[in-house]
Amino acid sequence: MELTTVWFLLVAVLFTGYFILEGFDFGVGMLLPVLGRDDRERRVLINTIGPVWDGNEVWLITAGGAMFAAFPEWYATLFSGFYLPLLLILLALIARGVAFEYRHKRPEASWKRRWDQAIFFGSLLPAILWGVAFANILRGVPLDADHEYVGGLLDLLNPYALLGGVTTLGLFLTHGAVFIALKTTGEIRERAGALAVRLGVGTAVVAVAFLAWTLTIRSSVAAVVLAVGAALALVGGLAAARVRREGWAFTGTAVAIALAVATLFAALFPNVLPSTLDAAGTLTVSNASSTPYTLKIMAWVAVVFTPIVLAYQGWTYWVFRKRIGVAHIPQH
């Protein structure tokens, strides 16, 4: 297997891990005003992701770094052409992170309400825009022969991309509701479990439509198999949620997200950013990659440090694995 293929797979794995882990983060943030009926319940919801949300964002930083080093042409064209959506994602993530840290600094209800709104919108925007961005990556964008983006913002807001945004929004909401049911006790757990099933039904319909549309744009045998697997995993997760088997439900939604992302990358390969104007402008794993020497050095770095990062993050989740409830939150 060529190193360009190895690094394409690694970028795919990093984005898959990011969407699985940050996906439930976004879901919890968006469900904060829905499932948190008072301040103590909202504090419970925030505490379910409090120890892990910032670690989950490391996957995005690593994925961006891998793209920059392994496929600099892809990185440059993507970040210039998708400048506004990616900037909005960055600003939303900053606002969300600040909100987590500052919400508890003052006791006034108005102060906490403003930061709760920042958490909500800081989760909502990325949940939609990531779907829009990845749908456009697969569909293709206007690139000239020099691989320069020559379109505008409206080119990115096409029906397929918007459906991609709705799909990731639904998947992250469902994933987040299942995670809340897995990590909480009492009424919050009951409400989250019931909401997960209701959200999941609508999400399943939208996700199947999006994956079916995806396979009409670009397809391969692997992509078809992965898409079917994603649909089955989501249905299995919802069935488990309905009978309150939260662990299996979370596994199902996580696998569904993983296979959905894998479907997009499998359908995309060997391209990394197709051109809708001229095939000569399409970026592939070959013409967008760094030199073989760079890829080789990076491969050794990844072999050494990736297991360390995975072990540390796994240990974090193990330490904070227990459920929490209102009884664990002191009254002020």
Side-chain angles (χ1 to χ4, degrees):
M1 184 182 296
E2 296 182 357
L3 281 176
T4 52
T5 304
V6 170
W7 275 100
F8 179 85
L9 292 173
L10 183 56
V11 170
V13 168
L14 290 170
F15 274 111
T16 299
Y18 173 69
F19 287 134
I20 291 173
L21 299 177
E22 194 80 319
F24 68 73
D25 273 3
F26 291 149
V28 173
M30 289 184 287
L31 293 173
L32 189 63
V34 178
L35 294 175
R37 295 181 176 176
D38 56 37
D39 183 60
R40 292 180 75 193
E41 289 191 349
R42 287 189 286 273
R43 287 166 64 194
V44 168
L45 297 178
I46 293 172
N47 285 352
T48 61
I49 59 174
V52 297
W53 69 267
D54 49 353
N56 294 342
E57 291 185 353
V58 170
W59 288 78
L60 174 60
I61 297 170
T62 308
M67 286 179 64
F68 174 77
F71 302 102
E73 191 81 26
W74 183 16
Y75 179 93
T77 303
L78 183 67
F79 276 71
S80 59
F82 291 41
Y83 180 83
L84 183 57
L86 293 177
L87 176 63
L88 290 175
I89 289 174
L90 177 61
L91 293 176
L93 293 178
I94 291 172
R96 181 170 167 268
V98 172
F100 283 136
E101 298 298 330
Y102 276 79
R103 183 187 186 276
H104 66 281
K105 297 295 185 182
R106 290 170 57 176
E108 294 90 348
S110 58
W111 171 269
K112 294 181 178 180
R113 185 167 57 252
R114 284 194 291 269
W115 290 119
D116 288 345
Q117 291 171 350
I119 293 172
F120 173 78
F121 287 107
S123 301
L124 176 67
L125 274 177
I128 297 173
L129 291 177
W130 278 125
V132 171
F134 269 82
N136 276 299
I137 290 173
L138 185 130
R139 174 181 175 270
V141 294
L143 301 179
D144 61 19
D146 295 322
H147 310 305
E148 296 289 338
Y149 181 77
V150 293
L153 177 62
L154 292 181
D155 291 298
L156 301 178
L157 300 179
N158 55 81
Y160 173 70
L162 295 176
L163 181 61
V166 174
T167 301
T168 50
L169 174 65
L171 284 172
F172 293 165
L173 280 169
T174 304
H175 196 40
V178 170
F179 179 77
I180 292 170
L182 176 67
K183 288 289 294 178
T184 58
T185 61
E187 291 185 12
I188 299 178
R189 176 188 179 188
E190 300 292 335
R191 296 198 301 268
L195 181 60
V197 176
R198 294 198 300 272
L199 287 169
V201 172
T203 296
V205 174
V206 173
V208 168
F210 174 70
L211 290 175
W213 194 346
T214 296
L215 296 177
T216 65
I217 298 174
R218 304 185 194 283
S219 184
S220 65
V221 174
V224 172
V225 172
L226 291 167
V228 172
L232 293 176
L234 182 57
V235 171
L238 295 179
R242 188 168 184 176
V243 295
R244 296 185 59 182
R245 298 294 299 272
E246 290 96 349
W248 284 110
F250 183 76
T251 301
T253 55
V255 171
I257 292 173
L259 294 181
V261 177
T263 299
L264 299 183
F265 277 95
L268 182 63
F269 185 80
N271 301 325
V272 294
L273 192 60
S275 172
T276 57
L277 298 180
D278 185 355
T282 294
L283 287 169
T284 68
V285 292
S286 299
N287 64 20
S289 66
S290 294
T291 64
Y293 182 74
T294 300
L295 296 178
K296 185 176 181 180
I297 295 297
M298 287 172 52
W300 281 110
V301 173
V303 167
V304 173
F305 288 100
T306 301
I308 298 174
V309 174
L310 291 175
Y312 173 76
Q313 193 157 29
W315 175 80
T316 303
Y317 276 94
W318 175 256
V319 169
F320 296 101
R321 66 188 181 278
K322 292 185 178 180
R323 296 178 183 267
I324 61 174
V326 175
H328 299 97
I329 305 297
Q331 269 184 318
H332 289 308

